[in-house]
Amino acid sequence: MNFGQPDSYKKAAEQACRIYHLKSPMAISLLYVSENATFLLKRISDNLPCKVMRVARIGYRTAEEIQAEIKWLEHLGQQNKIKTPVLVRNEAGGFLTMAEADGQTYACLLFEYLRGVHPDLSDGQKACEDFYQVGQTAAMLHLDAAGWKESRNLARPHWDYDHMIGEGGLFGNWRQCEKLSSDDRLLLEQACGRIRHRLSLYGRDEENYGLIHSDLRAANLLKEKGRIQVIDFDDCGFGWHMYDLAASLSFVEDHPWAGQWAKAWLKGYETVRPLRKADLAEIPTFIMARRIQLLAWVTSHEDSDPVGRLRGGFAENTVKLARYYMK
């Protein structure tokens, strides 16, 4: 799973820009490569950032799924409770723009530039303050979605067992990781079996399952004047609410401060929305499931920026977490 021709994504972004009423000439530069290619647009006149364009990876999302994401972003913008990026309309009045480059059709979205910095996890104690606010934000998203009838009909993926860590998982199949020994694979399969069993017992209802962001990690948060802002709804879908906690700990599940960050997140969450004992009991299960899911993602997305920045030992540490989970 890769970008194939990365230059084509920039060509698509440049073509898409011509379909918007941009008042000033723009310089386009690659900002980030993850599930999609994201570009920063700066005005040539003053070199100031003013827009961000997302060019979707070929085959990852359908146009219907992207339109559903747009619908939720529009709804959240109207509610004005959670700060999210503002979508920019193209010359036809829509948000989704299809651009051609090198014989391929790319789905593009343009956003107003959102100022802020990503939460800093280098100071564990200080980061607790951010996790507290992220927990509050997650609860607000869950409450809003529960009260928004249209959310139930959106064409978005379900982050259930099969789509998280099953052999047909949307992030890939962790079983293809070449860094796992036969004993490692056996342990992770056992962990997956326990996850499947516990999620089956936990079940789904309106109190624990619904429309979620599913990727509330530091890279998808911007802090401006003390307020957490949420970006990148590309993986939003239907899932268990506590999966959002696990997603907030993405790539840092084995960090010495992870336990304290989880407690801060939950404390913030419960200032907005109460949790049941059953919800709290399954948090280790969601954290383990997310970590195994990320192992699949790392295995299948070697061309993505987060993978390049990860230190060695991700697979080995995933096995250590699984060993602890199985005790």
Side-chain angles (χ1 to χ4, degrees):
M1 192 178 295
N2 56 58
F3 277 92
Q5 297 177 305
D7 291 343
S8 298
Y9 285 79
K10 186 173 183 181
K11 291 179 184 178
E14 292 170 341
Q15 181 184 334
C17 280
R18 302 187 186 105
I19 309 175
Y20 291 89
H21 293 295
L22 301 179
K23 298 179 181 179
S24 305
M26 299 286 171
I28 303 175
S29 60
L30 183 64
L31 183 64
Y32 198 69
V33 174
S34 184
E35 199 60 68
N36 307 293
T38 303
F39 295 89
L40 178 64
L41 278 62
K42 291 184 178 181
R43 286 191 298 264
I44 294 178
S45 59
D46 55 16
N47 199 39
L48 291 177
C50 62
K51 301 284 190 296
V52 171
M53 178 168 287
R54 190 184 84 194
V55 182
R57 186 188 293 255
I58 295 293
Y60 185 61
R61 291 277 177 246
T62 66
E64 186 181 16
E65 287 174 332
I66 297 174
Q67 292 288 9
E69 175 192 355
I70 291 170
K71 196 166 187 177
W72 195 20
L73 282 169
E74 281 191 284
H75 170 76
L76 290 172
Q78 293 167 359
Q79 300 304 302
N80 199 31
K81 295 177 182 178
I82 300 166
K83 184 67 175 177
T84 59
V86 176
L87 284 156
V88 179
R89 294 185 183 276
N90 57 33
E91 62 183 14
F95 294 114
L96 178 59
T97 298
M98 308 307 291
E100 300 287 333
D102 297 329
Q104 291 277 13
T105 302
Y106 295 85
C108 307
L109 292 178
L110 187 64
F111 302 88
E112 296 289 353
Y113 179 74
L114 198 59
R115 298 186 181 278
V117 296
H118 300 299
D120 182 6
L121 304 186
S122 62
D123 185 332
Q125 183 62 56
K126 188 174 181 180
C128 284
E129 300 173 10
D130 292 332
F131 275 95
Y132 179 91
Q133 193 176 158
V134 176
Q136 289 181 316
T137 302
M140 292 169 65
L141 285 169
H142 298 165
L143 272 180
D144 180 79
W148 181 39
K149 292 183 179 179
E150 292 184 60
S151 71
R152 296 160 177 77
N153 300 317
L154 296 181
R156 295 301 301 180
H158 277 265
W159 295 111
D160 51 21
Y161 174 88
D162 289 329
H163 292 102
M164 284 191 294
I165 55 178
E167 293 191 14
L170 295 177
F171 281 1
N173 187 354
W174 63 265
R175 297 159 186 85
Q176 296 175 359
C177 179
E178 297 178 353
K179 297 180 180 180
L180 298 173
S181 69
S182 57
D183 287 343
D184 294 339
R185 295 176 194 280
L186 177 59
L187 176 63
L188 290 180
E189 287 288 7
Q190 291 172 339
C192 286
R194 177 173 291 185
I195 290 168
R196 180 193 286 274
H197 176 68
R198 292 197 67 92
L199 291 181
S200 176
L201 294 177
Y202 183 46
R204 303 183 193 178
D205 57 42
E206 293 185 356
E207 293 299 314
N208 68 14
Y209 195 94
L211 184 62
I212 62 174
H213 182 279
S214 90
D215 204 12
L216 290 171
R217 57 192 174 94
N220 294 329
L221 305 169
L222 291 173
K223 194 172 182 180
E224 175 72 357
K225 297 180 180 179
R227 182 184 182 186
I228 289 290
Q229 306 168 112
V230 182
I231 63 175
D232 195 356
F233 281 70
D234 181 51
D235 281 335
C236 72
F238 299 96
W240 288 279
H241 295 144
M242 288 300 96
Y243 177 82
D244 265 343
L245 166 57
S248 295
L249 295 171
S250 294
F251 302 111
V252 294
E253 299 90 348
D254 53 350
H255 193 284
W257 275 90
Q260 294 302 313
W261 292 339
K263 289 179 181 178
W265 195 101
L266 289 167
K267 188 175 181 180
Y269 190 97
E270 293 199 280
T271 64
V272 177
R273 185 174 181 272
L275 291 169
R276 303 172 297 187
K277 289 183 179 179
D279 304 320
L280 299 174
E282 295 312 320
I283 287 172
T285 291
F286 287 116
I287 292 176
M288 191 70 248
R290 175 67 172 184
R291 178 68 179 217
I292 296 175
Q293 182 187 27
L294 290 176
L295 179 61
W297 193 85
V298 167
T299 300
S300 62
H301 289 69
E302 293 182 355
D303 57 345
S304 295
D305 287 345
V307 175
R309 286 196 289 268
L310 281 175
R311 295 178 180 178
F314 190 82
E316 293 86 345
N317 288 336
T318 302
V319 172
K320 289 179 182 178
L321 287 171
R323 191 172 294 117
Y324 182 79
Y325 175 69
M326 293 299 292
K327 286 183 178 178

